[in-house]
Amino acid sequence: MSRTPEFLPLSDDAVHAVTGPHGRHAALIEDAFRVLIETPGGGVTLTGDVKGRTGAKRALSDLAHRADAGQEVVEADVRIAVGEAQSTGGQASGRTVRKGAVSPKTKGQARYMEAMGSHPLSFGLGPAGTGKTFLAVAHGAGMLLRGEVDRLIVTRPAVEAGEKLGFLPGDLNEKVDPYMAPVWEALTDIMGADQLRRRREKLEIEVAPIAFMRGRTLAHAFVIVDEAQNCSRLQMKMVLTRLGEGSRMVVTGDPTQIDLLNPRDSGLAHAVSILEGVEGVSVSRFTAADVVRHPLVERIVKAYDADAAQSTPR
């Protein structure tokens, strides 16, 4: 790292905003761009290589603009500013994938990532294309790679709530893998095929249907419950109570896409209704504005939401 500092003049409000409570905002920027941020007065100094300083300056300038406009700067804003700076050529570190950095694209995604890092149990609710599963997989894979957990476990209802897998050919992995394709694609992007294979062979990464969680205590693991809207209430209670020492869990799903024969038996909405507000539990709700797939997907989601609103009895 170059030790030649570069000074960026900022207002006092901007310096306070980019530093953040206990230096948290500055630390996020330092980690993302591998720079050192100091506040000698009248602005900040950046020490690092040219690419890192360039990315950090982009993020700092965006945050300073918000602060000078009288807008509050919170951690979600910092994560978004970092992500935008990285996508325009700034150096990325930390959570990375083969195709680029895993960074939030919307405020909703930034708050979701922040919640996963600060709560033992997080719910991510919303339509397709909002990154619920991908960001959860990225967060869990990052914790595994950094040694913060021993295992990454992904589970979801396979086929249907009854878990009728017995008639499918092959062993457990062969039965379940077709239903886990989105998760495997995300893991391959994040970790690369070779490392994913090695981690899977060492049983550090496990995929199993909900039924196989029964009777287990999942200690020192990052657990993702995907497509949770198709869990029954009993299944949801069972999997939530599997959490053991040193573990975290993220539950993702779209309450509007329930495939159960009796939609009222869905355990996702029920769990959120009784657990929201409980200490240690976070609930992140995504909307069409958080869709990061093809722009048409956002318009499709909005059209279905509008139709559902018109069809709801008043």
Side-chain angles (χ1 to χ4, degrees):
M1 176 185 290
S2 169
R3 302 311 302 175
T4 302
E6 181 176 355
F7 183 73
L8 183 65
L10 299 174
S11 68
D12 289 344
D13 288 341
V15 170
H16 178 75
V18 301
T19 303
H22 308 292
R24 174 62 179 164
H25 295 175
L28 289 172
I29 298 170
E30 288 176 331
D31 289 345
F33 300 104
R34 298 175 184 169
V35 298
L36 174 66
I37 297 176
E38 297 176 290
T39 55
V44 300
T45 58
L46 296 171
T47 305
D49 62 28
V50 173
K51 190 174 182 180
R53 294 200 310 270
T54 299
K57 282 191 293 184
R58 289 193 184 101
L60 289 168
S61 296
D62 179 70
L63 297 171
H65 179 76
R66 289 182 58 86
D68 289 338
Q71 301 177 12
E72 182 183 10
V73 174
V74 297
E75 188 169 322
D77 299 312
V78 179
R79 293 183 183 277
I80 291 174
V82 166
E84 290 178 347
Q86 289 172 338
S87 68
T88 54
Q91 179 176 338
S93 65
R95 266 187 223 103
T96 59
V97 299
R98 294 184 305 127
K99 297 180 181 178
V102 178
S103 301
K105 306 300 183 185
T106 69
K107 282 194 173 184
Q109 288 189 346
R111 294 189 182 102
Y112 179 52
M113 293 179 71
E114 184 178 340
M116 286 190 289
S118 57
H119 293 76
L121 174 60
S122 301
F123 288 87
L125 314 178
T130 51
K132 304 182 302 295
T133 300
F134 186 82
L135 292 175
V137 171
H139 189 83
M143 292 188 70
L144 179 65
L145 295 174
R146 293 190 299 271
E148 296 173 14
V149 294
D150 296 333
R151 291 177 296 162
L152 172 61
I153 300 173
V154 186
T155 183
R156 71 189 297 187
V159 186
E160 60 184 44
E163 304 289 337
K164 295 180 180 178
L165 294 167
F167 293 103
L168 296 178
D171 60 19
L172 176 61
N173 287 334
E174 292 170 327
K175 293 174 190 285
V176 174
D177 276 0
Y179 301 96
M180 305 303 298
V183 173
W184 290 127
E185 290 171 3
L187 282 168
T188 301
D189 277 344
I190 292 162
M191 307 180 72
D194 290 341
Q195 182 160 198
L196 173 58
R197 185 186 68 254
R198 291 194 299 270
R199 297 273 181 170
R200 195 175 179 185
E201 288 172 352
K202 292 191 293 184
L203 302 181
E204 293 179 2
I205 295 177
E206 177 185 354
V207 172
I210 289 287
F212 285 73
M213 296 294 104
R214 191 175 304 278
R216 301 178 60 181
T217 299
L218 306 175
H220 305 290
F222 189 88
V223 185
I224 300 171
V225 184
D226 194 34
E227 295 291 339
Q229 74 275 4
N230 290 325
C231 291
S232 69
R233 292 191 181 194
L234 289 176
Q235 287 173 327
M236 182 62 71
K237 178 182 178 182
M238 178 272 291
V239 75
L240 291 176
T241 54
R242 297 307 93 198
L243 270 177
E245 181 182 357
S247 288
R248 289 179 178 269
M249 181 179 289
V250 178
V251 181
T252 69
D254 182 355
T256 70
Q257 296 293 318
I258 299 171
D259 297 321
L260 301 176
L261 293 177
N262 180 8
R264 289 177 296 181
D265 190 42
S266 175
L268 180 59
H270 177 255
V272 170
S273 70
I274 63 176
L275 294 177
E276 188 165 13
V278 172
E279 183 178 355
V281 177
S282 72
V283 179
S284 300
R285 292 181 172 86
F286 296 95
T287 68
D290 295 301
V291 172
V292 293
R293 292 181 181 170
H294 192 286
L296 180 58
V297 176
E298 178 180 355
R299 297 195 290 272
I300 290 171
V301 171
K302 287 182 176 178
Y304 272 91
D305 287 347
D307 179 70
Q310 293 176 353
S311 302
T312 302
R314 298 183 179 181

mmCIF file of all heavy atoms in Angstrom, residues 295-314:
data_model
loop_
_atom_site.group_PDB
_atom_site.id
_atom_site.type_symbol
_atom_site.label_atom_id
_atom_site.label_comp_id
_atom_site.label_asym_id
_atom_site.label_seq_id
_atom_site.Cartn_x
_atom_site.Cartn_y
_atom_site.Cartn_z
ATOM 1 N N PRO A 295 -35.401 -5.151 -16.339
ATOM 2 C CA PRO A 295 -36.387 -4.124 -15.968
ATOM 3 C C PRO A 295 -37.826 -4.568 -16.162
ATOM 4 O O PRO A 295 -38.721 -4.113 -15.449
ATOM 5 C CB PRO A 295 -36.039 -2.954 -16.906
ATOM 6 C CG PRO A 295 -34.588 -3.148 -17.216
ATOM 7 C CD PRO A 295 -34.371 -4.631 -17.260
ATOM 8 N N LEU A 296 -38.058 -5.485 -17.090
ATOM 9 C CA LEU A 296 -39.418 -5.973 -17.322
ATOM 10 C C LEU A 296 -39.950 -6.713 -16.110
ATOM 11 O O LEU A 296 -41.153 -6.691 -15.841
ATOM 12 C CB LEU A 296 -39.447 -6.877 -18.559
ATOM 13 C CG LEU A 296 -40.812 -7.471 -18.942
ATOM 14 C CD1 LEU A 296 -41.832 -6.360 -19.185
ATOM 15 C CD2 LEU A 296 -40.672 -8.366 -20.162
ATOM 16 N N VAL A 297 -39.039 -7.374 -15.350
ATOM 17 C CA VAL A 297 -39.478 -8.120 -14.169
ATOM 18 C C VAL A 297 -40.132 -7.177 -13.166
ATOM 19 O O VAL A 297 -41.162 -7.491 -12.564
ATOM 20 C CB VAL A 297 -38.303 -8.878 -13.519
ATOM 21 C CG1 VAL A 297 -38.761 -9.563 -12.230
ATOM 22 C CG2 VAL A 297 -37.743 -9.908 -14.486
ATOM 23 N N GLU A 298 -39.532 -5.995 -12.974
ATOM 24 C CA GLU A 298 -40.118 -5.022 -12.047
ATOM 25 C C GLU A 298 -41.517 -4.623 -12.506
ATOM 26 O O GLU A 298 -42.449 -4.536 -11.700
ATOM 27 C CB GLU A 298 -39.234 -3.780 -11.946
ATOM 28 C CG GLU A 298 -39.808 -2.708 -11.026
ATOM 29 C CD GLU A 298 -38.917 -1.486 -10.940
ATOM 30 O OE1 GLU A 298 -37.812 -1.502 -11.508
ATOM 31 O OE2 GLU A 298 -39.345 -0.504 -10.291
ATOM 32 N N ARG A 299 -41.690 -4.419 -13.799
ATOM 33 C CA ARG A 299 -43.008 -4.020 -14.307
ATOM 34 C C ARG A 299 -44.013 -5.156 -14.168
ATOM 35 O O ARG A 299 -45.199 -4.922 -13.893
ATOM 36 C CB ARG A 299 -42.873 -3.571 -15.764
ATOM 37 C CG ARG A 299 -41.989 -2.333 -15.938
ATOM 38 C CD ARG A 299 -42.160 -1.689 -17.300
ATOM 39 N NE ARG A 299 -41.606 -2.501 -18.376
ATOM 40 C CZ ARG A 299 -40.343 -2.435 -18.786
ATOM 41 N NH1 ARG A 299 -39.494 -1.606 -18.188
ATOM 42 N NH2 ARG A 299 -39.919 -3.174 -19.790
ATOM 43 N N ILE A 300 -43.544 -6.395 -14.357
ATOM 44 C CA ILE A 300 -44.428 -7.552 -14.185
ATOM 45 C C ILE A 300 -44.897 -7.645 -12.741
ATOM 46 O O ILE A 300 -46.083 -7.850 -12.456
ATOM 47 C CB ILE A 300 -43.707 -8.842 -14.610
ATOM 48 C CG1 ILE A 300 -43.506 -8.859 -16.135
ATOM 49 C CG2 ILE A 300 -44.489 -10.079 -14.164
ATOM 50 C CD1 ILE A 300 -42.618 -9.991 -16.623
ATOM 51 N N VAL A 301 -43.950 -7.493 -11.793
ATOM 52 C CA VAL A 301 -44.295 -7.564 -10.370
ATOM 53 C C VAL A 301 -45.307 -6.478 -10.016
ATOM 54 O O VAL A 301 -46.294 -6.727 -9.313
ATOM 55 C CB VAL A 301 -43.031 -7.443 -9.500
ATOM 56 C CG1 VAL A 301 -43.410 -7.289 -8.028
ATOM 57 C CG2 VAL A 301 -42.138 -8.664 -9.683
ATOM 58 N N LYS A 302 -45.089 -5.260 -10.513
ATOM 59 C CA LYS A 302 -46.018 -4.169 -10.222
ATOM 60 C C LYS A 302 -47.401 -4.456 -10.793
ATOM 61 O O LYS A 302 -48.418 -4.152 -10.160
ATOM 62 C CB LYS A 302 -45.467 -2.859 -10.792
ATOM 63 C CG LYS A 302 -44.291 -2.295 -10.013
ATOM 64 C CD LYS A 302 -43.827 -0.974 -10.613
ATOM 65 C CE LYS A 302 -42.711 -0.354 -9.778
ATOM 66 N NZ LYS A 302 -42.222 0.917 -10.376
ATOM 67 N N ALA A 303 -47.459 -5.042 -11.985
ATOM 68 C CA ALA A 303 -48.750 -5.358 -12.597
ATOM 69 C C ALA A 303 -49.508 -6.390 -11.772
ATOM 70 O O ALA A 303 -50.722 -6.259 -11.548
ATOM 71 C CB ALA A 303 -48.542 -5.859 -14.023
ATOM 72 N N TYR A 304 -48.794 -7.410 -11.303
ATOM 73 C CA TYR A 304 -49.458 -8.421 -10.474
ATOM 74 C C TYR A 304 -49.884 -7.843 -9.126
ATOM 75 O O TYR A 304 -50.948 -8.179 -8.599
ATOM 76 C CB TYR A 304 -48.524 -9.622 -10.274
ATOM 77 C CG TYR A 304 -48.642 -10.662 -11.363
ATOM 78 C CD1 TYR A 304 -47.825 -10.611 -12.486
ATOM 79 C CD2 TYR A 304 -49.571 -11.687 -11.281
ATOM 80 C CE1 TYR A 304 -47.935 -11.556 -13.503
ATOM 81 C CE2 TYR A 304 -49.687 -12.636 -12.272
ATOM 82 C CZ TYR A 304 -48.873 -12.569 -13.389
ATOM 83 O OH TYR A 304 -48.996 -13.499 -14.386
ATOM 84 N N ASP A 305 -49.035 -6.976 -8.550
ATOM 85 C CA ASP A 305 -49.420 -6.334 -7.290
ATOM 86 C C ASP A 305 -50.680 -5.496 -7.457
ATOM 87 O O ASP A 305 -51.574 -5.511 -6.604
ATOM 88 C CB ASP A 305 -48.272 -5.444 -6.782
ATOM 89 C CG ASP A 305 -47.112 -6.247 -6.229
ATOM 90 O OD1 ASP A 305 -47.283 -7.457 -6.004
ATOM 91 O OD2 ASP A 305 -46.021 -5.667 -6.031
ATOM 92 N N ALA A 306 -50.766 -4.759 -8.567
ATOM 93 C CA ALA A 306 -51.940 -3.922 -8.825
ATOM 94 C C ALA A 306 -53.174 -4.786 -9.004
ATOM 95 O O ALA A 306 -54.263 -4.459 -8.500
ATOM 96 C CB ALA A 306 -51.703 -3.060 -10.056
ATOM 97 N N ASP A 307 -53.027 -5.913 -9.704
ATOM 98 C CA ASP A 307 -54.173 -6.794 -9.909
ATOM 99 C C ASP A 307 -54.630 -7.399 -8.584
ATOM 100 O O ASP A 307 -55.839 -7.511 -8.336
ATOM 101 C CB ASP A 307 -53.784 -7.915 -10.888
ATOM 102 C CG ASP A 307 -54.920 -8.887 -11.120
ATOM 103 O OD1 ASP A 307 -55.917 -8.486 -11.780
ATOM 104 O OD2 ASP A 307 -54.815 -10.037 -10.646
ATOM 105 N N ALA A 308 -53.654 -7.772 -7.746
ATOM 106 C CA ALA A 308 -54.004 -8.352 -6.445
ATOM 107 C C ALA A 308 -54.720 -7.326 -5.582
ATOM 108 O O ALA A 308 -55.673 -7.646 -4.867
ATOM 109 C CB ALA A 308 -52.742 -8.852 -5.736
ATOM 110 N N ALA A 309 -54.284 -6.065 -5.647
ATOM 111 C CA ALA A 309 -54.934 -5.017 -4.850
ATOM 112 C C ALA A 309 -56.373 -4.806 -5.298
ATOM 113 O O ALA A 309 -57.255 -4.586 -4.481
ATOM 114 C CB ALA A 309 -54.133 -3.720 -4.981
ATOM 115 N N GLN A 310 -56.625 -4.895 -6.610
ATOM 116 C CA GLN A 310 -57.981 -4.733 -7.121
ATOM 117 C C GLN A 310 -58.877 -5.901 -6.764
ATOM 118 O O GLN A 310 -60.077 -5.751 -6.592
ATOM 119 C CB GLN A 310 -57.950 -4.544 -8.648
ATOM 120 C CG GLN A 310 -57.308 -3.245 -9.086
ATOM 121 C CD GLN A 310 -57.211 -3.148 -10.599
ATOM 122 O OE1 GLN A 310 -57.512 -4.110 -11.314
ATOM 123 N NE2 GLN A 310 -56.784 -1.985 -11.093
ATOM 124 N N SER A 311 -58.256 -7.078 -6.631
ATOM 125 C CA SER A 311 -59.037 -8.285 -6.364
ATOM 126 C C SER A 311 -59.304 -8.499 -4.886
ATOM 127 O O SER A 311 -60.135 -9.335 -4.515
ATOM 128 C CB SER A 311 -58.290 -9.518 -6.908
ATOM 129 O OG SER A 311 -58.049 -9.372 -8.286
ATOM 130 N N THR A 312 -58.581 -7.766 -4.027
ATOM 131 C CA THR A 312 -58.758 -7.940 -2.588
ATOM 132 C C THR A 312 -60.097 -7.379 -2.141
ATOM 133 O O THR A 312 -60.410 -6.212 -2.403
ATOM 134 C CB THR A 312 -57.631 -7.218 -1.814
ATOM 135 O OG1 THR A 312 -56.366 -7.744 -2.239
ATOM 136 C CG2 THR A 312 -57.795 -7.424 -0.314
ATOM 137 N N PRO A 313 -60.932 -8.201 -1.451
ATOM 138 C CA PRO A 313 -62.231 -7.712 -0.974
ATOM 139 C C PRO A 313 -62.052 -6.563 0.000
ATOM 140 O O PRO A 313 -61.131 -6.542 0.809
ATOM 141 C CB PRO A 313 -62.827 -8.949 -0.266
ATOM 142 C CG PRO A 313 -62.074 -10.112 -0.824
ATOM 143 C CD PRO A 313 -60.714 -9.628 -1.129
ATOM 144 N N ARG A 314 -62.915 -5.586 -0.105
ATOM 145 C CA ARG A 314 -62.851 -4.424 0.800
ATOM 146 C C ARG A 314 -64.020 -4.444 1.763
ATOM 147 O O ARG A 314 -65.053 -4.975 1.493
ATOM 148 C CB ARG A 314 -62.845 -3.119 -0.008
ATOM 149 C CG ARG A 314 -61.628 -3.027 -0.916
ATOM 150 C CD ARG A 314 -61.609 -1.693 -1.637
ATOM 151 N NE ARG A 314 -60.442 -1.569 -2.499
ATOM 152 C CZ ARG A 314 -60.175 -0.500 -3.220
ATOM 153 N NH1 ARG A 314 -60.959 0.567 -3.178
ATOM 154 N NH2 ARG A 314 -59.117 -0.465 -3.988
#
